[in-house]
Amino acid sequence: MKLWRRRTDDIDEEIATHLAMAAAEREERGESPQEASRSAKREFGNTLLVRETTRSMWGREWIDRIMQDLRFAWRQMRRAPAFALMVIVTLAVGLGATAAMFTIVERVLLENLSYPAPQRLVLLQESGRRGEQEWTPWPDIQQWTLKTRSFEDIGFYTSASGRLFLEGDSAAEQISQLLVSTNLFSVLGVKPQIGSGFADSKSQRFAQAGDESTVVLSDSAWRDSFGGRKDILGRVVRISGQPFTVVGVMPRGFSFPWNPSQPQVWTAAGFRQSDDTRDRPATTYNAIARLKPGVRLSDAEAEMKVVQADVAKLYTDPYSRDLVTSAKVKPYGDSLIRAEVKRALLALSGASGVLWLIACVNVTGLLLARATVRQREIAIRGALGASRWRIVRQLMIEGFILSAGGSLLGLGLAIASLKIFAHNLATQLRVKGVMPDARVIAVLLVLTIGSAILSAMWPALASARASIEPALRKSGGHASQNLEQRRLRSLLVVMQIAMSLMLLVSCGLLLRTIYALRHAPLGFRTDHILVGSMAIPTYRFAGRNLIGDLYAPLLQQARALPGVESATLMTEVPLGQTFRITFSFAVEGNSADAVRKRDFRAQLRAVGPDAQKVFGFKMFKGRFFNEGDTAGSQPVLVVNRAFVKEFSKSDDPNKVIGEHLLSFQKDRRAIVVGVLDDMRQVSVAQQSQPEIEVYLPQLSPTSGFYIAVGGVAMDLAVRTERPSSSILPELKTLMRKASPELANTNFTSMDQIVEDSYGNQQIITRLLIVFGGAALLLCLSGIYGLLSQLVSQRTREIGVRMALGAGRGQVIGMVLRQAGRMLTAGALLGFALVYFTGSIVKGFLYGVAPYDACTLAAVGGLLFASGLAAAYLPAKQAAAIDPIEALRTD
Amino acid sequence: MARKNEYKNRIELVQGTLDMLILQTLQWGPQHGYGIVQALHTQSEEVLQVETGSLYPALHRLERQGWVRSEWSQTESNQRARFYEITATGKKQLASDHDRWRRMVGAIAAIMQPGGKA
């Protein structure tokens, strides 16, 4: 800039020199000094113009002009701070909502997997009569490796069973351990940062002899448990009591499977004889492959289908063969996003986009109103020679400054709202600690420019197009809008009303959904229950009985706490989403009945004493477990009504009571003694699933499913009137005393669990309330702004009407009628929009139809009532006009 | 109307020739803006009158292109003025401009005097 100023001075001096020389020569010729200087100037012409054109030769005059425009825009804002603030806040609402949504979308849907060329990573799955199979027997993966050509390499992995604890330098921490093929890291394209990882050979991907007890740590496991010590390689570490030798540490930021909830460690899967079978293999695996460069997904899948047809022929059991007749190839990245989450996020992004549009339209209205006030000023600028382009640019730059202010404030709003919704985001979308990053800022920048163009372009063009003369001729301050502009503004308000109605209807439908969910019969009590989810350190109880040595004393102590009414244990409380056991029948054969039984799946749950006291489960028929059921007595089972329906294809509980469904040991067959009434198990919106319950006190280490049911996870549920803050420390002390690993047990209330299980509806509803509320406010301010401006412009006309005998009521009616017309038009347009959004919203609804008349009527009523209320203020202002005053002005 | 009469005897410069004329004038030595106007005026036998509104933008354009360079120094009458001097590339440019101009004049002459050559 400095250099720039010098250049301008330079040219000025040059021109002055020229004039001086010309004048001097004229004086020499005998002219008087004044005459000489005057004629020299005349001959020179317009010095300013010469200066400007000369300077423009250096091609940087635009910077100068823009700086000028910026300074001017800043002065304009300072002159009308209330107006500027209004515009900035309005834009901030729209931009903030959009930025917050994009932050979430970016994190969930556009997340960058930190593997090289992640788009070439694919999951391979078998599919058949019962859809896609998540896990594959190893022999099939082996066949794929041998027979396909689309993939660089195929790796496989599976989770180690149970809850596992890595014993670090100071404490044991829960980790997730994966059993992986030795080539997994090379398939992913990532090498350890320390050590060389697992020895790999082309011929087979299981651990080389002697390598079964090696482990590769994730960076976080290495840092958390071993303080990042450098001498980690070759050390023997214990995972749930088992020794493993560390052969590597993966780089920071690496995880597989992606985005785990616990630190991960990887162990080379050891080959067992049971791996080499397709008939009920003990372990099955997930297969992940890297596509060769240039191979398309569809080509790879076509090849896999051909190969799989041959693989299926290797199955000897027709039932199993039917399940694996075809194959699927899926991008690994896609498998990480749940379809309903994706749908919810896209719908919410749409809603935030609508809110942004409403904000822009609102600002357009505000700027148009402002332009009327500034008509004279702009006309003067035009009269002084500002080109139309210059005026448009000036107004656009003002728009940009306002928009930039809006986006700064919007960014603040986005950050604040992400903090407010952090809990919902974590439980329903599984995103933690999201904050806007560079990409979000970039999008915000684009939106800022978009908002400026969208909202300021139209008013700017309209102002520049307006003819100069009439504006100048009019007396100051009373410049009026022409009919066309007034219509335009009404149209903008109508658009806002329509879009707000659309958001509000969606919001209303979701509110009805939440109401329906809250009133859905859960089948159990949720009040005054605290739940602690324990990860069981089974290895500490090796050779002992968990039931007698851990659970019984824990339960006894919990019951003994003051203020505890009752307490129980359960593998997973209803709606808990922590640990699910699936039960299936061990049936052979391919008769119709056998196939039906083999297809049958039920949830298996172990419950402790007093479960009924804590949760108030209702029996449909028969009895629940009681003190008479012990480790020595006849094993008994309780099923639920959905089980009866599915199992016996009838609603008759007697068809199931007395049945032998499973055996605790070879000679201890359990019989069904009762049927529970239906209850919600997975989510509030999901109907009852078949379920079998076993009684925890009847289990012993010799029971076939002792570890699966008793040794992985257990929920402690306590019914107490005491506030959680007072009883929690006591419960935590209990846990710590029972076993040090249990100190980290996470406690929450049953009410919160129910709340969290509403699923996406909860967060969608909350966000829609925010979006809808903001839209309504913007829309009301639009109505108010337009009408109060119209009233002030029509002061004289209203004065005349009142002088001619119109009453206050008639004037109020006149203004309200105008509001009513806009509201009616907006509502009609809005209902038309609702017709289109209905199909999007439909998927999120429970217990309410997408075009629910009640909701539509209620939202319409709300909009009319609040719209008329917003119009009442200007109407009153109009009625208060003193006809004599009004006629005297001007 | 008086102004129009004043300009009657002058000929508007052909598009693009101003640069060439300025460079040509500067061949005799460094000169300031006023001097260039005067030189063109007298050398054209008072036919050409360069507009200052064209001259100064042209000078600065030439300077930006590197065909002339400028320096503040004293005139004979002890006045500070900005002197323009032709550069080496400016001279090359002048030569090529001159060449093109000669061909152009020849071509125009051939059209305007069809019988002249024969």
Side-chain angles (χ1 to χ4, degrees), chain A residues 680-708:
Chain A
R680 300 292 201 266
Q681 301 134 302
V682 183
S683 86
V684 182
Q686 207 171 324
Q687 294 296 323
S688 276
Q689 314 277 300
E691 176 167 328
I692 304 181
E693 293 187 356
V694 298
Y695 197 42
L696 208 48
Q698 288 198 310
L699 283 182
S700 69
T702 48
S703 313
F705 42 83
Y706 163 79
I707 287 293

Side-chain angles (χ1 to χ4, degrees), chain A residues 736-770:
Chain A
R736 196 170 45 246
K737 278 186 189 154
S739 187
E741 290 87 350
L742 295 177
N744 293 327
T745 299
N746 185 30
F747 277 91
T748 173
S749 73
M750 197 61 209
D751 285 325
Q752 185 64 50
I753 289 178
V754 173
E755 192 89 351
D756 290 344
S757 82
Y758 290 147
N760 299 320
Q761 277 90 351
Q762 185 87 348
I763 189 163
I764 296 177
T765 310
R766 291 206 175 151
L767 286 174
L768 274 182
I769 289 176
V770 174

Side-chain angles (χ1 to χ4, degrees), chain A residues 22 198 225 485 652 661 753 851:
Chain A
F198 308 120
S225 297
Q485 282 218 346
D652 180 6
L661 293 177
I753 289 178
Y851 305 114

